Amino acid sequence: MAAPADVVDATPTWWQSVNRSLGSLTLRWLVLVVASVVAFRSSIASIANSVSQDLELSYVPVVVIYAIFAATATVRAGRPRIEIHDRETDVIVGGITLVLAVVATSLLAPTLNTGYRMWRVDLLMMWIFIGSAGVLLFGLRRVFQYRWAWATLGLIWPLPSRLVRYVLGDGSLRWGAGVQLLVIILLLMGGRRSGERRWWVAPVLGAAAGAPFILLNPDRVSFLVVVPALVAMAVGGSVWVWRCRDQRPHGIAAPAVAAPRFGALLIMVVAGIATVVIPPLPPLQEPTVLPADGPHREPGSLIPAGWRQIDRQDYPDQSTYFGVNASWVRYKVQAIGPHTGPEAVDAEGRHREMVIDVLTTQKQHSFDLFPIGTTYPISRLELSPATRVDLGDGVTGQLYAAVDPQKLLAWSMLTFTISLPADRAVRHPDPDGPPVLTQRITLLLVDDHRPSAQFPSPRTRSWTASELS
């Protein structure tokens, strides 16, 4: 009798499993990334600009690392999955939301007008676009299996974090750092395995390691906002690696949806259409920079010739919106006599009054989040389009006319933004601050010459909270 043949183990090694699946996964992710970059190239360019200039959104590229960590937590938890896939459902759900993301971005951008930089609907729609493409390429059930990774990727939309800072906090970016740290701690908790003992070690050590870094000052260096979360992720992830050191590595699961050719074609077609219908982002404001040796008056001298100051008022809590040590000072001035100009004194001998608002910040691009139309409660007013006015020295102002149909009053509003040396600023709020400050100066005139004439009041924290809620 012939000797029995040797039994050969046909089970592929983990490395063979990786090789079999890696090619297909790479092609799918390549389609997803290329389509997202093509469709939302203006949004991605703005993020790159934020990183290069250390602006608020410089944290967005790190969100991709958070999402990968969330996917790792899902794999580690080892939740059972049902390998039943309905490609018709995938195409319907993914295709509809894919088109919706592009259409919503193209239609909402013009309607938001000056508030576009605050809402950043383009980043929200980019997140939906990426998730929809994932459904077409990987299947709805597979996307739902990794739902916490896709949800974590939603941190690219900055509005929820901004609402936390403006409504509950003091406007400091430390609140954003706290939100990101909380997300990582929740992922460390969600990555525990069934029956795992002392699963709490990873989230506790991660929280203990990351929490002290919240004391850093991201209001001066914006990128520091990601440090607490990255530290917590590194420490908690190291605990996971240590506890799995004796286990055999798993292979990469093959994609459940085979050859999604129609899905990939649909994604690229929609991405191509997006390049035509999605408008580019409005450019960031670049205030005129006044040189240190320019023809300026002494620091703090703001009252124009022919006028005298009759009142001054400070509005606190402006750091909530315009960055650390921001200040808002209102000067009320009165025309001295008829020689000041036409209509300086009316027929009844009343001297005309004017309000000069000086808003000072160390972060010039905070004015992009809160343009002039949002810094006063003038949503009920009828605001005319801006008229550009040459003020000299390279400074260009915008002149508006606002009408209150209820009070039958009209205001004239001239506003301009400048950057200048801190020691030449109208008010220098922080002696240890940066050498250059940015100021938005607004002149308000009302057609009511009575002493009781009302001027639009600046935004306050309580007013903003009630408006947003």
Side-chain angles (χ1 to χ4, degrees), residues 172 174-175 177-179 181 209-218 224 227-229:
S172 173
R174 286 193 178 97
W175 287 88
V179 170
L181 176 61
F213 288 92
I214 294 183
L215 299 177
L216 296 175
N217 191 357
L224 294 178
V227 173

Side-chain angles (χ1 to χ4, degrees), residues 377-398:
I378 57 177
S379 57
R380 68 181 185 276
L381 305 182
E382 298 175 1
L383 196 65
S384 70
T387 301
R388 297 173 64 86
V389 180
D390 185 6
L391 302 178
D393 293 330
V395 180
T396 301
Q398 290 79 40

Side-chain angles (χ1 to χ4, degrees), residues 188 197-207 235-236 239-240 243:
L188 289 170
R197 300 177 59 187
R198 293 192 289 274
W199 58 268
W200 47 266
V201 173
V204 168
L205 290 182
V235 172
V239 173
W240 284 354
R243 302 194 74 168

Side-chain angles (χ1 to χ4, degrees), residues 364-389:
Q364 69 177 43
H365 291 301
S366 61
F367 291 152
D368 292 285
L369 300 182
F370 294 99
I372 189 67
T374 65
T375 48
Y376 298 94
I378 57 177
S379 57
R380 68 181 185 276
L381 305 182
E382 298 175 1
L383 196 65
S384 70
T387 301
R388 297 173 64 86
V389 180

Side-chain angles (χ1 to χ4, degrees), residues 104-330:
T105 307
S106 62
L107 294 180
L108 287 177
T111 60
L112 291 175
N113 199 3
T114 56
Y116 196 78
R117 287 281 177 181
M118 168 60 71
W119 289 90
R120 289 311 301 263
V121 175
D122 59 314
L123 294 182
L124 172 62
M125 293 301 128
M126 184 171 71
W127 174 50
I128 295 176
F129 181 93
I130 294 173
S132 304
V135 171
L136 291 171
L137 294 173
F138 303 103
L140 183 60
R141 287 186 178 270
R142 185 69 84 217
V143 170
F144 183 76
Q145 178 192 349
Y146 290 91
R147 57 191 177 276
W148 299 121
W150 296 101
T152 302
L153 194 63
L155 288 174
I156 66 175
W157 189 36
L159 184 61
S161 178
R162 287 171 176 171
L163 293 180
V164 171
R165 285 161 40 203
Y166 298 146
V167 178
L168 302 180
D170 57 357
S172 173
L173 290 178
R174 286 193 178 97
W175 287 88
V179 170
Q180 295 181 33
L181 176 61
L182 178 61
V183 169
I184 296 301
I185 294 173
L186 293 176
L187 292 177
L188 289 170
M189 296 172 62
R192 70 178 186 273
R193 293 171 172 167
S194 178
E196 182 180 8
R197 300 177 59 187
R198 293 192 289 274
W199 58 268
W200 47 266
V201 173
V204 168
L205 290 182
F213 288 92
I214 294 183
L215 299 177
L216 296 175
N217 191 357
D219 295 308
R220 293 196 181 276
V221 182
S222 299
F223 192 73
L224 294 178
V225 75
V226 304
V227 173
L230 290 178
V231 171
M233 187 171 62
V235 172
S238 298
V239 173
W240 284 354
V241 173
W242 173 258
R243 302 194 74 168
C244 299
R245 63 189 184 279
D246 296 329
Q247 297 183 8
R248 180 175 178 266
H250 299 282
I252 298 177
V257 177
R261 296 183 180 88
F262 176 77
L265 178 62
L266 177 62
I267 292 170
M268 297 308 298
V269 169
V270 174
I273 296 175
T275 61
V276 179
V277 300
I278 295 181
L281 288 175
L284 293 172
Q285 297 182 20
E286 296 297 337
T288 303
V289 179
L290 299 183
D293 56 351
H296 311 140
R297 287 192 263 176
E298 292 300 320
S301 177
L302 183 71
I303 312 305
W307 298 76
R308 64 185 179 91
Q309 178 179 333
I310 60 175
D311 190 22
R312 167 177 165 158
Q313 185 176 0
D314 292 299
Y315 290 88
D317 296 331
Q318 296 305 317
S319 296
T320 302
Y321 314 109
F322 300 102
V324 62
N325 292 322
S327 66
W328 189 319
V329 183
R330 166 165 287 191

